[in-house]
Amino acid sequence: MRICKCYGEKLLQKELKGCFNFFDREINLDKQTNGYGLIRDKSAYHKDVASIASVGYGFASLIIGVEHKWLSYKEAYDKANKTLDTFLYNLENIHGFFYHFVNMRTAKREWNCELSIIDTAIFICGALTVGEYFGGEIKKKADILYNNIDWEWYRNKDTNQFYMGYTKEKGFFGSWDMYGEQLMLYILAVASKKHPVNPSIYDDFKKEKQDYEGIKDIIYTYCGTLFTYQFSHAWIDFRNLEDKQGINWFQNSIKATKAARKYCIKNSDKFKTYSEKSWGLTACIGPEGYKSYGAKPCIVDLEKENDGTVAPCGAIGSVVFTPKETIELMEYLYNTYPKLWGKYGFVDGYNLEKDKLWVSKEYIGIDKGISLIMIENYLSETIWKYSMKNEYIQKGLEILGITKKENLKVEKQGCYNSQPI
């Protein structure tokens, strides 16, 4: 099913293929190792380290690859099947949760990293979606992995909020105490057959609102970085859904994305990189390494955090929210800065603040992953189509009271007819 027909589709398709290539090439396909199907966190450095979130996005890439005829059905099926076996039998887990980073070949924990609830959720969303696409034993294995997760174990009973991390050395730490990328957690957690949590957990994180540059009542995130408004939306189609408090999370992400763009325009006198066609502040590789760049509204001190770095994936991951502004940015960057285009499409980050253009030398799986899924959802809604068929996602939405509103007034974000590249 084709949804979008526009000049900008040509460049969207090029970036989509570049993102797909990351997951197709940065993967362990050695069946003699314990890490078959694991996908690198980054492409250039620490090449022996995989991210379980990358694997979640990698599952989506299998569906997209088949639909675009970049991959045969059988090849994609076999990859999905064997990768699920890796998680079922080779990766260490505690109460069904997996470590954030694992070794590509041995599947063992890396860097004494945390047992990650959010990265496990991204992996599970990918697994459930690929299960809906292929069915059969793949669906059964995805269901087992999902129902193995003891969500209640990860809940802070004093605050009725999920912790952010856990290690055997330190125990639990942090808190999902305000809005962020974690909406998927509540949907998945309340629907579990074996280990559900009480739906009141959805009510007990803060939903603070703030205006910015004429945009009203944005429910904002701690650091104002764009991925926090995107990640759950990659899997959950919130467009016509509203919760019991009248919140439409899709519309909130539209407002937050437009505010992030306005922040860059307003601060273009401080940073040469920022402009109406160069925006998209999100977590990415900058000149000083990986940082969470953000925009207002937020809580963090942006004067200390931001250095002028912009990530193409920040805007691309919002293409379903702001297609016109996103495609304008993509075409501007593609035509103006050839160095921003590489083997996997747009680079992870760039910065114009020094004497010459600085460009990231590596790609990050979660950044190419959010670009991949959001472009596909904008063009054809493929990932939404299959993830929203899943019984647990549907059950979770129902339990939380996030329901479809037939007469919901939403801001339309249709196809944008740009100029040919």
Side-chain angles (χ1 to χ4, degrees):
M1 177 175 63
R2 304 303 298 159
I3 303 299
C4 173
K5 286 292 183 183
C6 62
Y7 290 126
E9 184 174 351
K10 181 178 179 181
L11 184 53
L12 288 169
Q13 291 280 5
K14 283 176 67 72
E15 172 66 6
L16 186 75
K17 184 58 162 62
C19 294
F20 168 82
N21 287 342
F22 176 94
F23 296 97
D24 192 52
R25 297 172 187 174
E26 302 293 335
I27 184 173
N28 177 12
L29 297 179
D30 186 348
K31 298 177 183 176
Q32 302 304 311
T33 67
N34 284 334
Y36 178 93
L38 295 179
I39 299 173
R40 288 187 175 89
D41 175 53
K42 299 180 180 70
S43 62
Y45 305 108
H46 304 298
K47 291 178 73 69
D48 57 342
V49 177
S51 155
I52 61 167
S54 280
V55 179
Y57 287 120
F59 281 137
S61 79
L62 298 178
I63 298 170
I64 293 167
V66 174
E67 291 296 299
H68 289 266
K69 303 187 186 310
W70 299 329
L71 202 62
S72 73
Y73 183 94
K74 184 181 185 306
E75 184 180 1
Y77 185 100
D78 289 343
K79 281 185 177 180
N81 199 22
K82 291 182 175 65
T83 301
L84 289 170
D85 285 341
T86 295
F87 279 77
L88 281 168
Y89 306 118
N90 298 342
L91 260 71
E92 180 183 0
N93 75 84
I94 300 177
H95 293 278
F97 295 96
F98 295 99
Y99 285 106
H100 190 165
F101 301 111
V102 293
N103 186 276
M104 287 284 289
R105 299 183 66 81
T106 67
K108 298 295 184 182
R109 176 192 188 193
E110 287 279 359
W111 299 328
N112 290 327
C113 68
E114 82 281 13
L115 198 73
S116 175
I117 186 172
I118 191 65
D119 293 280
T120 296
I122 293 170
F123 163 76
I124 287 295
C125 283
L128 293 177
T129 304
V130 85
E132 293 299 322
Y133 187 77
F134 289 114
E137 60 183 331
I138 292 179
K139 182 175 174 63
K140 290 179 181 178
K141 291 176 181 179
D143 284 4
I144 291 171
L145 286 164
Y146 164 72
N147 282 300
N148 280 345
I149 301 173
D150 185 353
W151 302 96
E152 179 65 14
W153 177 72
Y154 223 106
R155 183 178 69 90
N156 183 331
K157 295 172 179 57
D158 293 330
T159 64
N160 196 29
Q161 296 165 350
F162 285 123
Y163 294 103
M164 293 196 83
Y166 171 86
T167 67
K168 290 180 284 188
E169 295 80 12
K170 296 191 302 182
F172 287 109
F173 58 89
S175 178
W176 289 103
D177 59 350
M178 65 182 296
Y179 172 57
E181 68 272 25
Q182 84 277 20
L183 288 177
M184 67 184 91
L185 297 183
Y186 311 116
I187 295 166
L188 294 171
V190 299
S192 173
K193 291 180 179 178
K194 294 184 178 180
H195 307 288
V197 298
N198 190 289
S200 63
I201 195 169
Y202 174 79
D203 301 317
D204 285 343
F205 70 90
K206 291 179 286 187
K207 305 170 183 68
E208 297 181 350
K209 296 180 180 180
Q210 191 169 315
D211 302 342
Y212 184 74
E213 292 294 298
I215 302 173
K216 303 293 185 181
D217 294 329
I218 303 166
I219 301 175
Y220 61 94
T221 67
Y222 179 81
C223 52
T225 187
L226 277 171
F227 82 85
T228 58
Y229 300 101
Q230 298 167 352
F231 276 15
S232 286
H233 294 262
W235 314 101
I236 315 298
D237 182 1
F238 285 102
R239 284 176 297 178
N240 295 308
L241 301 180
E242 187 176 276
D243 73 5
K244 291 178 289 187
Q245 287 74 46
I247 299 172
N248 178 278
W249 290 111
F250 191 89
Q251 294 300 309
N252 190 70
S253 288
I254 291 175
K255 292 192 290 186
T257 302
K258 289 186 174 183
R261 180 173 178 268
K262 286 195 172 190
Y263 173 84
C264 284
I265 295 171
K266 184 177 181 180
N267 289 276
S268 59
D269 59 331
K270 297 179 182 178
F271 294 112
K272 294 184 291 185
T273 319
Y274 295 176
S275 75
E276 63 180 1
K277 294 183 180 179
S278 180
W279 55 276
L281 303 185
T282 195
C284 71
I285 300 292
E288 298 179 358
Y290 186 78
K291 290 184 68 176
S292 257
Y293 301 104
K296 291 185 177 179
C298 66
I299 291 177
V300 302
D301 185 353
L302 297 179
E303 296 291 332
K304 294 181 179 179
E305 295 298 322
N306 292 341
D307 60 12
T309 300
V310 169
C313 68
I316 296 169
S318 284
V319 67
V320 298
F321 309 127
T322 54
K324 177 180 184 294
E325 295 87 345
T326 294
I327 294 171
E328 280 182 340
L329 172 141
M330 292 175 68
E331 292 174 343
Y332 170 74
L333 297 183
Y334 185 84
N335 291 318
T336 308
Y337 302 107
K339 290 184 179 179
L340 300 190
W341 189 265
K343 63 179 179 178
Y344 297 137
F346 283 110
V347 299
D348 196 61
Y350 64 96
N351 189 303
L352 295 169
E353 304 311 312
K354 302 297 183 181
D355 294 335
K356 62 179 182 179
L357 171 67
W358 179 91
V359 177
S360 171
K361 294 181 179 179
E362 61 183 341
Y363 299 85
I364 299 180
I366 57 174
D367 290 348
K368 299 314 293 185
I370 193 61
S371 298
L372 174 90
I373 292 181
M374 291 306 216
I375 290 174
E376 183 66 18
N377 280 337
Y378 175 67
L379 293 175
S380 61
E381 304 180 0
T382 302
I383 302 305
W384 281 338
K385 174 184 176 181
Y386 289 99
S387 63
M388 293 297 285
K389 285 183 178 180
N390 183 263
E391 63 175 299
Y392 305 118
I393 290 176
Q394 287 296 324
K395 180 182 176 183
L397 289 167
E398 181 182 358
I399 291 172
L400 293 176
I402 303 174
T403 57
K404 188 173 182 179
K405 301 294 182 181
E406 298 294 343
N407 299 319
L408 183 66
K409 292 182 179 180
V410 297
E411 180 181 347
K412 298 296 183 183
Q413 298 293 316
C415 174
Y416 168 59
N417 288 299
S418 65
Q419 296 301 311
I421 60 173

